[in-house]
Amino acid sequence: MENPNCQQVINLLELYINGKLSPILANAIEFHLNICPKCRKKYFELKTEINNVKDKPKIHSNRVERQIEHYIQNLSAYIDNELDDKDNIKIRKLSIVNTQARQKLEDILYFRQMLQNSFDKTKNNLKKDYSEEIIHRILNSGRKRINSEYVSLVISTLFLIFWSIEILYLYN
Amino acid sequence: MTGQKFQYKKMKFEELILLAQNDDMKALEELIKQEQRNVFAAFSYLTQNKQDISDLTQEALLRIARNIKTLKNPKNFKGWANQIITHLYYDEIRKISRKPNTISIDSETEESNEFTIKNLLPDKRCKPQEKCISLEIEEIIKNEINNLPEPFKIVIVLRELQGMSYDEIANATKSSIGTVKSRISRARLKLQENLKNYI
Ligand SMILES: [Zn+2]
């Protein structure tokens, strides 16, 4: 296809815009677009259309993706009331407008509730009562401490007495 | 005697603390009675061996009772008690890492993961607000938390089970609030993922 006609060019325009033609064919199309105003007009129309369809959702989905990522990172702190006002509002907003985000919020709240229930159940599994023993040990160790303080007082007093006797003896 | 006991039972927790701080042993006993379930439950999610849970619970309660006078503001009791729990837990990890011949955690896990789907099914019908969690689910949640890698386990227990603030957790674990925030978030995602077939 050395010199494509207008119809052929128009048929190949989409592939040309998407960069999917072989270099030789792409060159031929480019040459034709330079000399044919009718096809050039079609080319710009199609290009704008393709860009609108393609780029818009891409930018949009990128933005949403980033929002969701930020959301996931902060959701945990959000339910703990540990975010600053700015992030707090962002998370709350996205929970309202985005169904995926709202689902994540519902999931994490449900999950937290389950852990709480599990913990409450574990609390009630305690069969032993430690309180009496603890008090007993505290009272006992208190007595022991008093005893040991008393013993060390007696020892140091005796030591002091012996020491004074020794000093007296030496000086006499 | 019984009348007096009844009185202590009816007191606010903060009142018990204040009395206990002034050498009222009956108040201290009631305080321990009320706090022991919480301490026991916390250690149940931090360690798997039943004897260790009991020993750690007793030691923590003893430290709480013994040091109650050092608690400056009764309102901070929860954070203060959890600091004692956290320190004891860290000591325990250090002990275990020095003991090479402790029972492998993996073997215990495999055993306790052998729950049949039949046992779990009735709970799927439960609504989240109803506290109708089965013993099996409780065991599974306990195991999953127990099997979290270390920096994540303690933060999830302190946050989800003890309701401590990020600031208090940062204090108890000697890390920054940012670290605490990201650890809690990651621990939750991991737990959610591991538990998604059960809850
Ligand atoms: Zn043309």
Side-chain angles (χ1 to χ4, degrees):
Chain A
M1 201 199 285
E2 263 174 47
N3 289 309
N5 63 34
C6 286
Q7 194 49 53
Q8 284 171 322
V9 166
I10 284 163
N11 285 344
L12 290 168
L13 269 182
E14 197 179 333
L15 291 176
Y16 173 75
I17 288 164
N18 287 329
K20 287 184 176 153
L21 290 180
S22 69
I24 296 169
L25 203 48
N27 275 339
I29 303 283
E30 194 181 335
F31 179 79
H32 182 94
L33 288 179
N34 278 331
I35 56 164
C36 173
K38 195 185 110 201
C39 284
R40 192 157 63 236
K41 188 170 173 272
K42 265 261 178 280
Y43 163 76
F44 282 120
E45 277 169 12
L46 190 62
K47 195 177 178 182
T48 323
E49 199 183 312
I50 287 175
N51 282 350
N52 276 347
V53 173
K54 255 195 188 163
D55 291 357
K56 220 181 185 175
K58 204 179 202 174
I59 291 166
H60 178 71
S61 78
N62 267 345
R63 194 170 56 93
V64 172
E65 243 169 59
R66 257 185 288 118
Q67 275 182 335
I68 291 283
E69 205 176 297
H70 173 267
Y71 186 84
I72 290 169
Q73 276 170 6
N74 288 283
L75 188 58
S76 162
Y78 173 75
I79 66 165
D80 291 334
N81 260 328
E82 297 271 359
L83 282 183
D84 58 42
D85 291 347
K86 207 182 104 205
D87 281 332
N88 215 31
I89 288 166
K90 272 192 203 167
I91 301 295
R92 198 178 311 146
K93 258 191 189 162
L94 205 64
S95 315
I96 294 166
V97 300
N98 185 302
T99 43
Q100 193 195 348
R102 188 162 53 245
Q103 188 58 49
K104 285 193 184 303
L105 176 64
E106 278 169 19
D107 286 349
I108 200 171
L109 289 175
Y110 175 69
F111 164 76
R112 185 170 69 171
Q113 188 61 48
M114 288 310 275
L115 292 195
Q116 198 56 60
N117 294 352
S118 175
F119 192 60
D120 286 344
K121 198 175 193 91
T122 311
K123 273 186 184 174
N124 292 326
N125 285 347
L126 178 65
K127 301 284 182 285
K128 202 177 151 183
D129 184 359
Y130 293 91
S131 61
E132 217 170 300
E133 200 183 334
I134 299 282
I135 298 301
H136 185 73
R137 280 176 70 176
I138 287 204
L139 291 175
N140 264 356
S141 71
R143 226 166 274 147
K144 254 183 235 154
R145 204 180 305 137
I146 291 165
N147 281 348
S148 66
E149 270 166 19
Y150 180 70
V151 168
S152 60
L153 189 72
V154 170
I155 290 172
S156 45
T157 315
L158 284 174
F159 179 78
L160 207 69
I161 292 167
F162 281 124
W163 185 69
S164 334
I165 292 170
E166 210 175 321
I167 296 274
L168 281 172
Y169 179 77
L170 273 175
Y171 275 84
N172 286 338
Chain B
M1 191 71 199
T2 33
Q4 203 186 5
K5 260 199 167 167
F6 189 62
Q7 290 281 316
Y8 281 107
K9 242 182 201 169
K10 277 175 91 178
M11 274 179 193
K12 281 188 203 159
F13 199 68
E14 279 174 28
E15 293 168 344
L16 286 175
I17 295 171
L18 285 172
L19 289 177
Q21 287 181 326
N22 287 292
D23 296 316
D24 185 333
M25 284 298 157
K26 285 276 167 216
L28 187 60
E29 191 176 340
E30 180 59 30
L31 186 151
I32 296 298
K33 234 179 212 131
Q34 290 184 19
E35 178 62 14
Q36 59 187 350
R37 287 176 191 285
N38 182 52
V39 176
F40 165 77
F43 281 120
S44 300
Y45 288 78
L46 289 170
T47 183
Q48 280 179 314
N49 182 296
K50 280 206 165 69
Q51 189 57 48
D52 288 346
I53 296 171
S54 180
D55 291 349
L56 287 165
T57 302
Q58 184 158 9
E59 184 56 31
L61 291 171
L62 188 64
R63 288 192 192 182
I64 287 170
R66 202 169 261 163
N67 299 307
I68 192 72
K69 284 188 189 186
T70 66
L71 171 64
K72 289 192 185 77
N73 184 354
K75 281 199 164 59
N76 296 337
F77 178 82
K78 211 169 172 55
W80 176 77
N82 273 302
Q83 250 171 10
I84 291 175
I85 291 173
T86 308
H87 289 169
L88 266 174
Y89 168 63
Y90 281 155
D91 286 347
E92 185 66 13
I93 304 176
R94 259 174 250 132
K95 243 193 280 168
I96 288 168
S97 64
R98 264 186 262 123
K99 256 192 292 178
N101 285 331
T102 40
I103 311 151
S104 148
I105 289 167
D106 295 330
S107 64
E108 271 186 48
T109 317
E110 270 166 41
E111 210 178 284
S112 36
N113 273 347
E114 281 173 13
F115 295 109
T116 57
I117 286 167
K118 205 179 76 197
N119 286 341
L120 304 169
L121 274 179
D123 300 275
K124 284 258 170 189
R125 278 181 258 133
C126 284
K127 299 224 168 62
Q129 265 62 36
E130 295 166 11
K131 292 194 171 179
C132 52
I133 181 169
S134 75
L135 206 63
E136 285 84 2
I137 297 278
E138 184 217 356
E139 277 300 319
I140 289 167
I141 291 176
K142 222 191 280 171
N143 272 321
E144 284 299 339
I145 292 180
N146 254 308
N147 287 330
L148 282 177
E150 193 16 63
F152 302 107
K153 183 158 56 165
I154 187 76
V155 294
I156 215 74
V157 168
L158 292 178
R159 174 61 231 171
E160 297 282 37
L161 311 182
Q162 301 286 24
M164 285 171 78
S165 71
Y166 286 13
D167 191 41
E168 287 172 315
I169 298 173
N171 248 328
T173 59
K174 298 198 167 47
S175 39
S176 71
I177 290 185
T179 306
V180 168
K181 182 185 162 192
S182 94
R183 278 179 184 166
I184 291 174
S185 173
R186 284 164 66 193
R188 275 180 174 146
L189 288 172
K190 186 155 172 46
L191 272 182
Q192 263 181 296
E193 175 64 27
N194 294 353
L195 291 167
K196 72 173 176 211
N197 292 327
Y198 303 109
I199 63 174

